[in-house]
Amino acid sequence: MTRIFSGVKPTGHLTLGNYLGAVRRWAEVDQHRADALFCVVDLHALTVEHDPGRVRRLSRQAATLLLAAGLDPGVCTVFVQSHVDEHARLSYLLECVATDGEMRRMIQYKEKAARERARGGSVRLSLLTYPVLMAADILAYGTDEVPVGDDQTQHVELTRDLAVRFNQRYGHTFVVPRATRPEVAARVMNLQEPASKMGKSEDAGPGIVYLLDEPDAVRKKVMRAVTDSGQDVVYDPQARPGVSNLLEILAACEGGDPQELSAGYESYGALKKDAADAVVELLRPLQERHKELCADPAYVEGVLRGGAEKAREMARPRVDEAYRAVGLLPPV
């Protein structure tokens, strides 16, 4: 059976972009067609300045939202990265296979490092090496497919390179995974800055719809979305990014094709109203289930404990094999 691994980083509150671009597909499709693991990758949240208490809160919130979105612990494995030691164990081995040049070519590292240098600072070493930890997350489980957005494709390519290199040097140990992408709304854009992804790392912003936003807040953000010059509702992501983003959001919420949906609108106002209503209705059952789960924290803790045990059982034999392959003496 095909094995899938994907994760979410607790660096901010989960957004509509996270849901439409990844989480909904995990719940509706991926967990049912494959042996699927979904992880709150909390170790990745330590690569930047952070508040420890906030990381813990966001990690719990992310896990709860994954369950609220429909991930079924009886069907898939839901767990927290730091609860399974094999991630960190394998990461160091892969650092011994990766090169400095590969790490410095990673686009996200280059962009974040440049911003810090412009402010007179520097980034943490872990930001440079975290793509290797991401590779360990994937390779520890014999993953076949990694559902990712466009911005993470480069990291999956690095994972493939490291798996091939390790296998060639030390003997076949790892499955070489491939990236998969959803067809619609793979990258939902910021409602106020349609050239930028709707990311969760920002603390707040009128262009970001969070999964736990109240309905009135959702409507206000969508109705105030930046559109484009001109009056026609046209789907053209390059020339008309604002209106195209709204069409993609509507298409993802209700089903359909953004290009075909554009023909049904004569004004931006009507499109915004329909998009706002669609987002509110999409989030309603998720928010209701989240409220129920928050009232039963023991259930969430039990899911994460069981998920970590299951994940550990899957990862440990392969990571132990990798330790032997590179020449490390087994414990006595």
Side-chain angles (χ1 to χ4, degrees), residues 96-252:
C96 297
V97 176
T99 68
D100 177 74
E102 285 176 316
M103 296 299 96
R104 296 186 188 279
R105 284 195 295 271
M106 294 291 106
I107 294 171
Q108 291 193 21
Y109 170 76
K110 289 167 66 175
E111 292 177 347
K112 291 180 180 179
R115 286 197 296 269
E116 283 300 315
R117 283 196 297 270
R119 291 196 287 257
S122 61
V123 297
R124 299 183 178 191
L125 178 62
S126 56
L127 184 66
L128 176 66
T129 59
Y130 99 88
V132 177
L133 176 58
M134 180 177 173
D137 299 338
I138 297 165
L139 296 179
Y141 297 98
T143 303
D144 300 293
E145 296 182 7
V146 188
V148 292
D150 293 338
D151 60 329
Q152 292 293 329
T153 302
Q154 186 186 33
H155 292 156
V156 179
E157 289 303 313
L158 172 69
T159 301
R160 290 171 55 85
D161 291 342
L162 295 180
V164 169
R165 191 177 306 154
F166 192 101
N167 290 345
Q168 289 175 340
R169 290 181 181 176
Y170 305 114
H172 185 79
T173 306
F174 298 117
V175 174
V176 180
R178 60 186 179 276
T180 58
R181 289 183 291 277
E183 295 179 1
V184 178
R187 199 175 191 195
V188 177
M189 311 308 282
N190 188 297
L191 294 172
Q192 292 296 315
E193 301 174 22
S196 302
K197 188 179 71 168
M198 187 184 285
K200 65 180 181 301
S201 296
E202 296 90 347
D203 289 333
I208 305 170
V209 176
Y210 295 102
L211 295 187
L212 297 178
D213 275 348
E214 295 289 338
D216 287 346
V218 172
R219 288 193 172 90
K220 183 180 294 185
K221 289 177 179 181
V222 176
M223 294 303 294
R224 292 179 177 177
V226 168
T227 48
D228 310 287
S229 59
Q231 300 298 320
D232 297 334
V233 177
V234 177
Y235 181 68
D236 185 341
Q238 296 301 317
R240 310 284 287 277
V243 70
S244 296
N245 187 37
L246 289 171
L247 287 165
E248 289 200 359
I249 290 172
L250 180 61

Side-chain angles (χ1 to χ4, degrees), residues 79-90:
F79 67 106
V80 176
Q81 179 190 31
S82 64
H83 296 175
V84 180
D85 293 344
E86 278 62 35
H87 292 254
R89 289 180 62 209
L90 182 55

